[in-house]
PDB file of all heavy atoms in Angstrom:
ATOM      1  N   LYS T 423     145.065-178.023 -46.291  1.00 97.00           N
ATOM      2  CA  LYS T 423     145.172-176.684 -46.864  1.00 97.00           C
ATOM      3  C   LYS T 423     145.637-176.736 -48.314  1.00 97.00           C
ATOM      4  O   LYS T 423     145.229-175.936 -49.141  1.00 97.00           O
ATOM      5  CB  LYS T 423     146.111-175.816 -46.028  1.00 97.00           C
ATOM      6  CG  LYS T 423     145.485-175.041 -44.888  1.00 97.00           C
ATOM      7  CD  LYS T 423     144.209-174.288 -45.226  1.00 97.00           C
ATOM      8  CE  LYS T 423     144.334-173.278 -46.325  1.00 97.00           C
ATOM      9  NZ  LYS T 423     144.686-171.954 -45.892  1.00 97.00           N
ATOM     10  N   ALA T 427     143.819-175.227 -51.512  1.00 98.00           N
ATOM     11  CA  ALA T 427     144.524-174.342 -52.439  1.00 98.00           C
ATOM     12  C   ALA T 427     144.415-174.851 -53.877  1.00 98.00           C
ATOM     13  O   ALA T 427     144.141-174.080 -54.798  1.00 98.00           O
ATOM     14  CB  ALA T 427     145.992-174.219 -52.036  1.00 98.00           C
ATOM     15  N   LEU T 433     139.113-173.797 -59.410  1.00 98.00           N
ATOM     16  CA  LEU T 433     137.889-172.982 -59.446  1.00 98.00           C
ATOM     17  C   LEU T 433     138.165-171.605 -60.049  1.00 98.00           C
ATOM     18  O   LEU T 433     137.333-171.043 -60.745  1.00 98.00           O
ATOM     19  CB  LEU T 433     137.291-172.846 -58.043  1.00 98.00           C
ATOM     20  CG  LEU T 433     136.646-174.117 -57.477  1.00 98.00           C
ATOM     21  CD1 LEU T 433     136.279-173.929 -56.006  1.00 98.00           C
ATOM     22  CD2 LEU T 433     135.412-174.529 -58.268  1.00 98.00           C
ATOM     23  N   ILE T 437     136.282-169.838 -63.073  1.00 97.00           N
ATOM     24  CA  ILE T 437     135.694-168.501 -62.980  1.00 97.00           C
ATOM     25  C   ILE T 437     136.169-167.621 -64.139  1.00 97.00           C
ATOM     26  O   ILE T 437     135.411-166.898 -64.754  1.00 97.00           O
ATOM     27  CB  ILE T 437     136.107-167.854 -61.635  1.00 97.00           C
ATOM     28  CG1 ILE T 437     135.387-168.523 -60.472  1.00 97.00           C
ATOM     29  CG2 ILE T 437     135.864-166.361 -61.614  1.00 97.00           C
ATOM     30  CD1 ILE T 437     133.933-168.194 -60.403  1.00 97.00           C
ATOM     31  N   PHE T 479     134.272-178.480 -56.583  1.00 98.00           N
ATOM     32  CA  PHE T 479     133.535-177.561 -55.713  1.00 98.00           C
ATOM     33  C   PHE T 479     133.236-178.229 -54.372  1.00 98.00           C
ATOM     34  O   PHE T 479     133.463-177.646 -53.308  1.00 98.00           O
ATOM     35  CB  PHE T 479     132.244-177.157 -56.432  1.00 98.00           C
ATOM     36  CG  PHE T 479     131.604-175.918 -55.905  1.00 98.00           C
ATOM     37  CD1 PHE T 479     132.251-174.698 -55.968  1.00 98.00           C
ATOM     38  CD2 PHE T 479     130.332-175.968 -55.362  1.00 98.00           C
ATOM     39  CE1 PHE T 479     131.649-173.543 -55.495  1.00 98.00           C
ATOM     40  CE2 PHE T 479     129.717-174.820 -54.885  1.00 98.00           C
ATOM     41  CZ  PHE T 479     130.382-173.608 -54.948  1.00 98.00           C
ATOM     42  N   HIS T 482     136.413-178.674 -52.318  1.00 98.00           N
ATOM     43  CA  HIS T 482     136.829-177.382 -51.748  1.00 98.00           C
ATOM     44  C   HIS T 482     136.011-177.071 -50.496  1.00 98.00           C
ATOM     45  O   HIS T 482     136.564-176.720 -49.452  1.00 98.00           O
ATOM     46  CB  HIS T 482     136.654-176.283 -52.798  1.00 98.00           C
ATOM     47  CG  HIS T 482     137.185-174.937 -52.389  1.00 98.00           C
ATOM     48  ND1 HIS T 482     138.519-174.616 -52.455  1.00 98.00           N
ATOM     49  CD2 HIS T 482     136.563-173.839 -51.904  1.00 98.00           C
ATOM     50  CE1 HIS T 482     138.689-173.372 -52.030  1.00 98.00           C
ATOM     51  NE2 HIS T 482     137.512-172.882 -51.679  1.00 98.00           N
ATOM     52  N   THR T 486     137.383-177.078 -46.602  1.00 97.00           N
ATOM     53  CA  THR T 486     137.387-175.820 -45.848  1.00 97.00           C
ATOM     54  C   THR T 486     136.543-175.958 -44.589  1.00 97.00           C
ATOM     55  O   THR T 486     136.895-175.405 -43.553  1.00 97.00           O
ATOM     56  CB  THR T 486     136.862-174.628 -46.660  1.00 97.00           C
ATOM     57  OG1 THR T 486     135.641-174.998 -47.269  1.00 97.00           O
ATOM     58  CG2 THR T 486     137.830-174.167 -47.684  1.00 97.00           C
ATOM     59  N   VAL T 489     138.680-177.628 -42.050  1.00 97.00           N
ATOM     60  CA  VAL T 489     139.711-176.698 -41.595  1.00 97.00           C
ATOM     61  C   VAL T 489     139.125-175.655 -40.637  1.00 97.00           C
ATOM     62  O   VAL T 489     139.679-175.385 -39.571  1.00 97.00           O
ATOM     63  CB  VAL T 489     140.353-176.018 -42.830  1.00 97.00           C
ATOM     64  CG1 VAL T 489     141.133-174.795 -42.435  1.00 97.00           C
ATOM     65  CG2 VAL T 489     141.237-176.990 -43.585  1.00 97.00           C
ATOM     66  N   MET T 519     136.725-165.078 -44.885  1.00 97.00           N
ATOM     67  CA  MET T 519     136.777-166.180 -45.871  1.00 97.00           C
ATOM     68  C   MET T 519     135.625-167.186 -45.743  1.00 97.00           C
ATOM     69  O   MET T 519     134.987-167.517 -46.734  1.00 97.00           O
ATOM     70  CB  MET T 519     138.117-166.905 -45.813  1.00 97.00           C
ATOM     71  CG  MET T 519     139.244-166.218 -46.533  1.00 97.00           C
ATOM     72  SD  MET T 519     138.910-165.777 -48.232  1.00 97.00           S
ATOM     73  CE  MET T 519     139.662-167.151 -49.092  1.00 97.00           C
ATOM     74  N   PRO T 520     135.315-167.696 -44.545  1.00 96.00           N
ATOM     75  CA  PRO T 520     134.225-168.670 -44.468  1.00 96.00           C
ATOM     76  C   PRO T 520     132.882-168.058 -44.892  1.00 96.00           C
ATOM     77  O   PRO T 520     132.060-168.738 -45.499  1.00 96.00           O
ATOM     78  CB  PRO T 520     134.181-169.054 -42.994  1.00 96.00           C
ATOM     79  CG  PRO T 520     135.502-168.656 -42.450  1.00 96.00           C
ATOM     80  CD  PRO T 520     135.964-167.494 -43.252  1.00 96.00           C
ATOM     81  N   GLY T 523     132.828-167.431 -48.678  1.00 98.00           N
ATOM     82  CA  GLY T 523     132.651-168.751 -49.276  1.00 98.00           C
ATOM     83  C   GLY T 523     131.197-169.187 -49.227  1.00 98.00           C
ATOM     84  O   GLY T 523     130.645-169.667 -50.212  1.00 98.00           O
ATOM     85  N   HIS T 583     136.674-163.045 -51.743  1.00 98.00           N
ATOM     86  CA  HIS T 583     137.216-164.396 -51.570  1.00 98.00           C
ATOM     87  C   HIS T 583     138.503-164.555 -52.380  1.00 98.00           C
ATOM     88  O   HIS T 583     139.486-165.107 -51.898  1.00 98.00           O
ATOM     89  CB  HIS T 583     136.166-165.418 -52.012  1.00 98.00           C
ATOM     90  CG  HIS T 583     136.340-166.783 -51.425  1.00 98.00           C
ATOM     91  ND1 HIS T 583     136.042-167.068 -50.119  1.00 98.00           N
ATOM     92  CD2 HIS T 583     136.789-167.939 -51.957  1.00 98.00           C
ATOM     93  CE1 HIS T 583     136.290-168.350 -49.886  1.00 98.00           C
ATOM     94  NE2 HIS T 583     136.751-168.901 -50.977  1.00 98.00           N
ATOM     95  N   GLY T 587     142.246-165.171 -51.499  1.00 97.00           N
ATOM     96  CA  GLY T 587     142.478-166.540 -51.976  1.00 97.00           C
ATOM     97  C   GLY T 587     143.653-166.705 -52.917  1.00 97.00           C
ATOM     98  O   GLY T 587     144.465-167.611 -52.744  1.00 97.00           O
ATOM     99  N   SER T 590     146.927-166.322 -51.199  1.00 97.00           N
ATOM    100  CA  SER T 590     146.990-167.333 -50.145  1.00 97.00           C
ATOM    101  C   SER T 590     147.342-168.699 -50.719  1.00 97.00           C
ATOM    102  O   SER T 590     148.106-169.460 -50.124  1.00 97.00           O
ATOM    103  CB  SER T 590     145.652-167.376 -49.417  1.00 97.00           C
ATOM    104  OG  SER T 590     145.640-168.366 -48.441  1.00 97.00           O
ATOM    105  N   LEU T 591     146.795-169.010 -51.874  1.00 97.00           N
ATOM    106  CA  LEU T 591     147.060-170.343 -52.437  1.00 97.00           C
ATOM    107  C   LEU T 591     148.510-170.478 -52.873  1.00 97.00           C
ATOM    108  O   LEU T 591     149.081-171.573 -52.838  1.00 97.00           O
ATOM    109  CB  LEU T 591     146.069-170.664 -53.570  1.00 97.00           C
ATOM    110  CG  LEU T 591     146.318-170.213 -54.996  1.00 97.00           C
ATOM    111  CD1 LEU T 591     147.168-171.229 -55.752  1.00 97.00           C
ATOM    112  CD2 LEU T 591     144.988-170.069 -55.702  1.00 97.00           C
ATOM    113  N   THR T 594     150.300-171.219 -49.585  1.00 97.00           N
ATOM    114  CA  THR T 594     149.973-172.573 -49.139  1.00 97.00           C
ATOM    115  C   THR T 594     150.681-173.619 -49.993  1.00 97.00           C
ATOM    116  O   THR T 594     151.073-174.680 -49.501  1.00 97.00           O
ATOM    117  CB  THR T 594     148.446-172.801 -49.188  1.00 97.00           C
ATOM    118  OG1 THR T 594     147.816-171.779 -48.430  1.00 97.00           O
ATOM    119  CG2 THR T 594     148.064-174.147 -48.614  1.00 97.00           C
TER     120      THR T 594
ATOM    121  N   SER Q 972     145.728-169.974 -42.107  1.00 97.00           N
ATOM    122  CA  SER Q 972     144.882-169.297 -43.106  1.00 97.00           C
ATOM    123  C   SER Q 972     145.609-168.142 -43.765  1.00 97.00           C
ATOM    124  O   SER Q 972     144.996-167.351 -44.482  1.00 97.00           O
ATOM    125  CB  SER Q 972     143.613-168.755 -42.453  1.00 97.00           C
ATOM    126  OG  SER Q 972     142.743-169.799 -42.149  1.00 97.00           O
TER     127      SER Q 972
HETATM  128  C1  LIG W 774     134.170-170.206 -57.328  1.00 91.16           C
HETATM  129  C2  LIG W 774     134.272-170.527 -56.139  1.00 91.16           C
HETATM  130  C3  LIG W 774     135.501-170.500 -55.254  1.00 91.16           C
HETATM  131  C4  LIG W 774     136.793-170.169 -55.533  1.00 91.16           C
HETATM  132  C5  LIG W 774     137.386-169.715 -56.834  1.00 91.16           C
HETATM  133  C6  LIG W 774     137.536-170.334 -54.295  1.00 91.16           C
HETATM  134  C7  LIG W 774     138.887-170.116 -54.158  1.00 91.16           C
HETATM  135  C8  LIG W 774     139.582-170.233 -52.981  1.00 91.16           C
HETATM  136  C9  LIG W 774     140.989-170.088 -52.824  1.00 91.16           C
HETATM  137  C10 LIG W 774     141.963-169.837 -53.947  1.00 91.16           C
HETATM  138  C11 LIG W 774     141.295-170.231 -51.513  1.00 91.16           C
HETATM  139  C12 LIG W 774     142.671-170.111 -50.867  1.00 91.16           C
HETATM  140  C13 LIG W 774     143.273-171.431 -50.555  1.00 91.16           C
HETATM  141  C14 LIG W 774     144.469-171.337 -49.642  1.00 91.16           C
HETATM  142  O1  LIG W 774     144.695-170.377 -48.957  1.00 91.16           O
HETATM  143  O2  LIG W 774     145.210-172.282 -49.593  1.00 91.16           O
HETATM  144  C15 LIG W 774     140.076-170.456 -50.824  1.00 91.16           C
HETATM  145  C16 LIG W 774     139.967-170.624 -49.464  1.00 91.16           C
HETATM  146  C17 LIG W 774     138.780-170.805 -48.812  1.00 91.16           C
HETATM  147  N1  LIG W 774     137.559-171.070 -49.392  1.00 91.16           N
HETATM  148 FE1  LIG W 774     137.120-170.903 -51.338  1.00 91.16          FE
HETATM  149  N2  LIG W 774     136.685-170.734 -53.309  1.00 91.16           N
HETATM  150  C18 LIG W 774     135.428-170.849 -53.861  1.00 91.16           C
HETATM  151  C19 LIG W 774     134.284-171.248 -53.231  1.00 91.16           C
HETATM  152  C20 LIG W 774     134.182-171.469 -51.863  1.00 91.16           C
HETATM  153  C21 LIG W 774     132.977-171.878 -51.195  1.00 91.16           C
HETATM  154  C22 LIG W 774     131.651-172.168 -51.853  1.00 91.16           C
HETATM  155  C23 LIG W 774     133.291-171.964 -49.867  1.00 91.16           C
HETATM  156  C24 LIG W 774     132.464-172.330 -48.672  1.00 91.16           C
HETATM  157  C25 LIG W 774     131.285-172.752 -48.582  1.00 91.16           C
HETATM  158  C26 LIG W 774     134.660-171.586 -49.711  1.00 91.16           C
HETATM  159  C27 LIG W 774     135.317-171.488 -48.507  1.00 91.16           C
HETATM  160  C28 LIG W 774     136.640-171.194 -48.366  1.00 91.16           C
HETATM  161  C29 LIG W 774     137.298-170.974 -47.107  1.00 91.16           C
HETATM  162  C30 LIG W 774     136.639-171.003 -45.733  1.00 91.16           C
HETATM  163  C31 LIG W 774     138.640-170.738 -47.375  1.00 91.16           C
HETATM  164  C32 LIG W 774     139.726-170.406 -46.375  1.00 91.16           C
HETATM  165  C33 LIG W 774     140.387-171.598 -45.858  1.00 91.16           C
HETATM  166  C34 LIG W 774     141.510-171.171 -44.956  1.00 91.16           C
HETATM  167  O3  LIG W 774     142.390-170.450 -45.385  1.00 91.16           O
HETATM  168  O4  LIG W 774     141.497-171.548 -43.796  1.00 91.16           O
HETATM  169  N3  LIG W 774     135.185-171.297 -50.949  1.00 91.16           N
HETATM  170  N4  LIG W 774     139.038-170.462 -51.740  1.00 91.16           N
END
Side-chain angles (χ1 to χ4, degrees):
Chain T
K423 271 313 302 270
L433 289 171
I437 288 288
F479 199 63
H482 186 80
T486 49
V489 164
M519 280 308 263
H583 202 74
S590 177
L591 85 87
T594 305
Chain Q
S972 287

